Amino acid sequence: MSAPGYGGQPIIILKEGTERSRGSDARNANIQAARIVAEAVKSSLGPKGMDKMLVDSFGDVTITNDGATMLKEMDIQHPAAKMMAEVSKTQDDEVGDGTTSVVVLTGELLGKAVELMDKKIHPTVVIDGYRDAQNNAIKFLDDIAIKVDSKDKIVLKKVAMTSMASKLVAGYSDYIADLAVDAILQVAEGRDGGYDADLDMIKLEKKPGGAITETKLLRGLVIDKEVVHSDMPKLVKEAKIGLLDAAMEIEKTEFTAKIHIESPDEMQAYLDQEEQMLRDMVKKVKDVGANVLFCQKGIDDMIQHFLARKGILAARRLKKSDMEALAKATDAKVVSSIDELSEDDLGYASTVEEHKISDDKMIFVEGCKNPKAVSILIRGGTERIVDEAERSLHDALSVIRDVVLEPRIVAGGGAPEIEVARRLRRYAEGLAGRKRLAVSAFAEALEVIPTTLAENAGMDPIDAISEMQSRHENGELWVGLNSFEGKVSDMAELDVYEPVQVKAQAIKSATEASTMLLKIDDVIASSKMRPPAGGPPGGGGMPGGMPGGMPGGMPPM
Ligand SMILES: Nc1ncnc2c1ncn2[C@@H]1O[C@H](COP(=O)(O)OP(=O)(O)OP(=O)(O)O)[C@@H](O)[C@H]1O
Ligand SMILES: [Mg+2]
């Protein structure tokens, strides 16, 4: 970049190859890119939404309906489009569901903003109007939300089933929702007068094969490893568990050493001593009272044999995360050497047992000292199904947690969006000037959710929206789009409920992202080119600008 400088000489500020666009060009390019992303995910919204098949550069295939996953797997380049992926991820991190809705809503807010700007309304006015509309929308949502009991299993199940309605596992949502509710209630704990549930306490383990209905909840942990030696017990009751994060073998010297052996007797003595050392290690394990040993590294063959003889169940090469989960669940301490192991370091579980799951063996650690440790073993026909089942389960667990944390819900199917839009329009009527247009535009943008649900269900969106609007005018608060029957119905009667948090977060994030993009009027992108060989990097553009510029500087923009 350069500007007219002293004596008409350009002043070069940015590196060669830097691309810059300004004003409405910059804004429009960003908006365009973001809207393309929104269009791409739109078709997957709602129970009748489609799934996407994504193939990465290694040829790995992901089939999903989850907004955040789609955008994560797509190799997005454009910075504004990347922001859409981030919005979706934020939604996922904060509330775990609504990751498609938030992107669709952001796209629509931007679309409406373009219409306003085409009418010569300045972006700052749009931004102010949107922010005001957002605050009011959240307030209206709060007004209509239904208060429920944090631990009402029936409500929690309904919310979980709604979140799964749009997923591949929808056919089994009844079964999985029960399981998810039990899991969350198991880990929920009282906090600040309410409840909270830590999703990290629920370990999801996948094993392709079997049917989705063989997915099970375990009060304990599943470790995807087998018992290391065939003579070891396959079931240990009243387990005392030792956790070791080092290899169980004789330590090798760090330097090369030679041992001279001159007679067969010495050879024998050497081997005997080595065996004795191995036996001592096993004796130590036995003496402290452990009957189960989990090792993060390898276990020497001979040691396996001795452990088996002592009736100790052992597994090797556990993942670090499994070791940590075991420590937390069984109240054990991970030690780095067998010498350090003491009775106090052992954890407890009422049973440790190896089970055969399809062709594989897995170890179930149940009845742990910490009752808050639970796992869900996900089954399903193929790897892709199991993967998508895991994502759907994540959504279900998240929405249940959301309600446990903040026990307020709204009905789904676009009903809250229609109602909030209606109230926003009424609010806008009291405003003066251009801001009023921005608030009304915001209201209209919210209706993209029911509109898209209608489109995806093969209905005429204009008819559906006008029917919903008029019934809302008549006080039918929860009238929304019944995707399954392709008509407008009371969604509360259909038990389609969602956490208010999911809706509120989507509105907040979408407003934030769209206003952020609207505020940008200058895009300066550095060159991805390599610096020319031999010359100084960037070809002479210097920070601060050099009067006169240098050969190779960019032509004036
Ligand atoms: N039975 C139903 N009838 C009509 N709409 C429904 C029904 N169940 C869920 N919905 C609606 O579908 C929308 C959610 O769709 P979907 O789960 O595909 O996207 P998302 O939640 O925004 O994103 P994701 O689940 O990918 O994170 C919500 O507006 C919800 O109210
Ligand atoms: Mg969803």
Side-chain angles (χ1 to χ4, degrees):
M1 189 191 88
S2 57
Y6 305 115
Q9 295 271 38
I11 299 173
I12 296 171
I13 295 174
L14 297 170
K15 267 187 186 173
E16 181 185 10
T18 303
E19 281 179 29
R20 182 173 187 189
S21 59
R22 280 190 270 196
S24 56
D25 281 352
R27 193 177 300 114
N28 289 341
N30 277 338
I31 292 177
Q32 199 60 28
R35 290 183 70 191
I36 290 171
V37 175
E39 281 304 317
V41 299
K42 227 174 173 183
S43 67
S44 64
L45 184 78
K48 293 283 174 184
M50 297 293 179
D51 295 347
K52 296 217 181 287
M53 181 187 265
L54 302 149
V55 186
D56 69 12
S57 49
F58 298 106
D60 285 341
V61 178
T62 307
I63 299 174
T64 188
N65 175 281
D66 189 72
T69 309
M70 285 178 221
L71 295 177
K72 195 174 79 197
E73 297 290 330
M74 284 185 210
D75 205 357
I76 294 178
Q77 287 288 335
H78 195 283
K82 275 189 184 158
M83 261 189 62
M84 296 294 257
E86 280 165 27
V87 175
S88 191
K89 183 171 182 302
T90 308
Q91 179 82 8
D92 201 29
D93 294 344
E94 291 291 322
V95 289
D97 192 19
T99 64
T100 309
S101 304
V102 72
V103 173
V104 172
L105 186 56
T106 310
E108 194 65 15
L109 283 171
L110 289 170
K112 295 286 171 210
V114 171
E115 286 173 21
L116 293 175
M117 291 183 302
D118 284 349
K119 288 186 204 151
K120 300 277 175 261
I121 296 178
H122 196 270
T124 3
V125 178
V126 180
I127 292 171
D128 285 348
Y130 275 14
R131 293 209 174 122
D132 185 31
Q134 175 216 280
N135 293 336
N136 280 286
I138 301 289
K139 204 168 93 247
F140 296 144
L141 258 185
D142 284 344
D143 292 344
I144 60 174
I146 308 166
K147 246 196 117 30
V148 293
D149 178 0
S150 277
K151 295 213 162 178
D152 184 338
K153 275 190 161 190
I154 296 171
V155 170
L156 297 178
K157 183 175 174 186
K158 286 175 186 168
V159 173
M161 284 183 67
T162 303
S163 81
M164 285 187 280
S166 49
K167 309 291 180 217
L168 203 93
V169 296
Y172 310 93
S173 61
D174 190 50
Y175 176 77
I176 299 182
D178 277 330
L179 214 121
V181 170
D182 282 349
I184 291 283
L185 290 183
Q186 185 80 19
V187 301
E189 23 185 72
R191 187 168 304 160
D192 304 333
Y195 290 95
D196 194 4
D198 181 3
L199 288 191
D200 288 341
M201 290 301 292
I202 302 170
K203 190 166 176 267
L204 301 181
E205 195 68 57
K206 299 176 282 187
K207 191 56 88 180
I212 290 184
T213 45
E214 283 168 44
T215 297
K216 63 185 250 172
L217 173 69
L218 227 90
R219 301 200 192 278
L221 296 178
V222 191
I223 307 294
D224 191 3
K225 291 286 166 205
E226 56 183 293
V227 171
V228 74
H229 194 283
S230 56
D231 290 341
M232 285 179 178
K234 300 289 179 293
L235 165 67
V236 173
K237 290 197 168 149
E238 301 296 313
K240 300 263 181 55
I241 302 166
L243 301 177
L244 177 68
D245 69 0
M248 232 185 145
E249 59 193 14
I250 294 180
E251 262 179 64
K252 309 226 166 36
T253 50
E254 277 176 22
F255 41 86
T256 322
K258 274 189 189 154
I259 300 173
H260 277 287
I261 291 174
E262 290 182 354
S263 70
D265 289 351
E266 276 179 28
M267 179 69 188
Q268 194 54 47
Y270 176 76
L271 291 177
D272 286 350
Q273 188 173 3
E274 198 174 68
E275 187 180 316
Q276 194 52 45
M277 284 164 81
L278 297 174
R279 279 180 191 278
D280 287 348
M281 285 163 93
V282 174
K283 185 167 180 295
K284 171 83 203 225
V285 176
K286 183 79 187 169
D287 287 350
V288 294
N291 50 15
V292 172
L293 182 70
F294 288 118
C295 186
Q296 198 180 323
K297 304 271 172 60
I299 302 179
D300 185 280
D301 288 352
M302 191 85 103
I303 295 189
Q304 293 176 21
H305 170 74
F306 292 141
L307 286 168
R309 290 246 298 260
K310 297 267 186 218
I312 295 170
L313 182 159
R316 63 177 166 175
R317 306 224 164 88
L318 268 74
K319 283 188 285 189
K320 190 162 195 279
S321 58
D322 280 349
M323 295 294 282
E324 283 161 6
L326 278 166
K328 218 164 160 186
T330 65
D331 197 22
K333 189 165 159 259
V334 182
V335 296
S336 301
S337 121
I338 282 295
D339 294 338
E340 278 177 30
L341 190 69
S342 76
E343 208 182 331
D344 293 342
D345 298 331
L346 302 181
Y348 173 84
S350 63
T351 59
V352 173
E353 186 174 10
E354 184 185 69
H355 287 269
K356 198 158 185 285
I357 308 287
S358 294
D359 281 344
D360 277 327
K361 290 172 186 155
M362 298 177 108
I363 300 174
F364 288 24
V365 181
E366 290 178 271
C368 299
K369 194 155 185 181
N370 179 356
K372 300 229 174 289
V374 299
S375 308
I376 297 176
L377 176 60
I378 304 168
R379 308 299 316 279
T382 68
E383 207 176 316
R384 319 238 184 284
I385 294 184
V386 178
D387 284 347
E388 179 67 350
E390 183 190 20
R391 288 189 282 269
S392 312
L393 197 55
H394 161 79
D395 282 20
L397 292 168
S398 303
V399 292
I400 302 169
R401 189 246 357 238
D402 294 340
V403 177
V404 165
L405 198 66
E406 166 76 60
R408 289 181 310 141
I409 56 172
V410 289
E417 286 85 357
I418 294 275
E419 183 62 23
V420 171
R422 190 179 76 85
R423 294 183 185 210
L424 264 183
R425 279 198 192 92
R426 214 188 312 147
Y427 164 74
E429 279 167 20
L431 296 174
R434 298 176 167 215
K435 190 170 168 194
R436 172 187 188 155
L437 295 178
V439 175
S440 307
F442 190 100
E444 229 165 276
L446 282 178
E447 288 177 343
V448 71
I449 302 294
T451 305
T452 309
L453 288 173
E455 277 167 6
N456 290 348
M459 294 166 65
D460 182 298
I462 298 176
D463 289 350
I465 293 287
S466 52
E467 184 181 347
M468 283 187 260
Q469 282 173 338
S470 70
R471 287 174 67 175
H472 274 256
E473 282 300 332
N474 292 333
E476 290 186 68
L477 188 58
W478 298 127
V479 162
L481 201 110
N482 177 355
S483 296
F484 289 110
E485 288 182 41
K487 61 180 193 186
V488 171
S489 326
D490 189 318
M491 301 313 286
E493 275 171 22
L494 294 172
D495 285 339
V496 176
Y497 286 111
E498 291 180 273
V500 75
Q501 280 305 84
V502 170
K503 297 286 162 199
Q505 182 65 41
I507 291 178
K508 281 186 220 158
S509 305
T511 314
E512 232 164 64
S514 55
T515 53
M516 188 185 229
L517 284 176
L518 289 174
K519 246 183 133 153
I520 296 170
D521 77 338
D522 201 346
V523 176
I524 304 165
S526 30
S527 132
K528 291 223 168 55
M529 288 188 306
R530 287 171 184 283
M542 301 249 296
M546 278 269 290
M550 283 163 108
M554 251 182 93
M557 282 175 76

